[in-house]
Amino acid sequence: MHFAFSSHSPRYGAIRALRNVSLALMFSATAAAAEPGPAVTVLALGDSLTAGYGLPEGEGFVPQLEHWLESHGEEVEVVNAGVSGDTTAGGLARLNWSLTPEVDAMIVNLGGNDLLRGLDPAMSRANLQAILEEARARDMPVLLVGLEAPGNYGPDYKQAFDAIYPDLARQFQADLERSFFAPLTARLDEPDARQRYMQPDGIHPSAEGVALIVEAIGPRVKALVERARD
């Protein structure tokens, strides 16, 4: 004998309730997976390379990086604290007022102007160390972006300068991007990369060059955002 369940059957009501609960849990889990984590604010402390010198609005390092992060599912604001001409000493001098209460993490991209001026690597190291000490005091994760000295200052200078970034990253357990410009020479040799990916001054990347840099550094910044969210 076949029994059909009516909408008034207690057993039918229990089955329907169970089904509704299951659907609600499924939709809730799907929505949670689709939603990004809490918004994170990242301070990009740097010089003209961070500021986007010579590039139209929206094509500099910070806006391209923020767009990359958002396209990879992160709810994030990257604050452009790049000042053209700034040395590591300049970055340190404005650090405290740059680290506003809403900042959750920091990218440190300084040292290029120290190189251009041939400043003592020991001074650059001391300034960057002080920046990282302040970040540690605030329990703030940091991505330290390195640079490599040219050979024209001599091997001793190059060795001393190049060692700054990996040494400090280890000391302060900071994330490290060893070379800001490395992505530009990953595909082409240096003369061709300079012509293809740099502005006419030979110092600052073009918008296309910035895009390559962001593509390379983006995963590290994404990891930094996730660390700040933990």
Side-chain angles (χ1 to χ4, degrees):
M1 183 179 292
H2 177 71
F3 290 95
F5 291 109
S6 73
S7 60
H8 301 291
S9 165
R11 186 176 177 185
Y12 175 84
I15 293 172
R16 183 174 60 181
L18 181 60
R19 183 191 63 188
N20 290 342
V21 169
S22 299
L23 288 172
L25 290 172
M26 181 183 69
F27 289 136
S28 176
T30 302
E35 291 176 0
V40 170
T41 299
V42 178
L43 179 76
L45 183 72
D47 49 35
S48 55
L49 298 177
T50 299
Y53 176 87
L55 296 175
E57 185 176 356
E59 294 188 5
F61 175 72
V62 168
Q64 287 207 45
L65 176 61
E66 186 173 87
H67 176 74
W68 187 96
L69 291 166
E70 290 173 348
S71 70
H72 286 76
E74 297 294 348
E75 186 175 350
V76 62
E77 178 185 7
V78 184
V79 178
N80 193 338
V83 175
S84 294
D86 232 359
T87 60
T88 55
L92 175 60
R94 58 189 173 87
L95 179 64
N96 284 331
W97 58 262
S98 297
L99 286 174
T100 53
E102 64 270 17
V103 173
D104 303 300
M106 180 166 57
I107 301 168
V108 179
N109 185 19
L110 289 163
N113 290 303
D114 297 50
L115 280 176
L116 289 174
R117 301 179 189 187
L119 299 180
D120 184 352
M123 293 174 54
S124 303
R125 178 186 287 266
N127 293 328
L128 290 170
Q129 179 171 328
I131 291 171
L132 292 172
E133 285 172 348
E134 182 61 29
R136 182 167 63 183
R138 297 173 184 244
D139 195 26
M140 178 178 294
V142 174
L143 171 62
L144 184 61
V145 182
L147 291 167
E148 296 179 349
N152 56 299
Y153 292 124
D156 292 343
Y157 186 101
K158 179 172 175 59
Q159 182 179 9
F161 189 92
D162 291 357
I164 293 172
Y165 299 94
D167 286 355
L168 291 178
R170 283 191 296 269
Q171 181 180 345
F172 289 91
Q173 296 182 318
D175 295 334
L176 175 66
E177 182 70 23
R178 296 190 69 91
S179 174
F180 184 78
F181 289 109
L184 306 187
T185 54
R187 303 184 183 188
L188 300 172
D189 59 25
E190 186 172 343
D192 290 340
R194 188 178 296 274
Q195 182 175 4
R196 172 76 181 271
Y197 299 125
M198 300 293 283
Q199 296 181 43
D201 63 9
I203 297 173
H204 299 93
S206 64
E208 185 180 3
V210 170
L212 285 180
I213 292 167
V214 166
E215 190 67 31
I217 202 173
R220 291 196 186 278
V221 182
K222 191 175 191 302
L224 180 74
V225 169
E226 291 166 355
R227 282 180 61 193
R229 194 175 280 133
D230 289 342

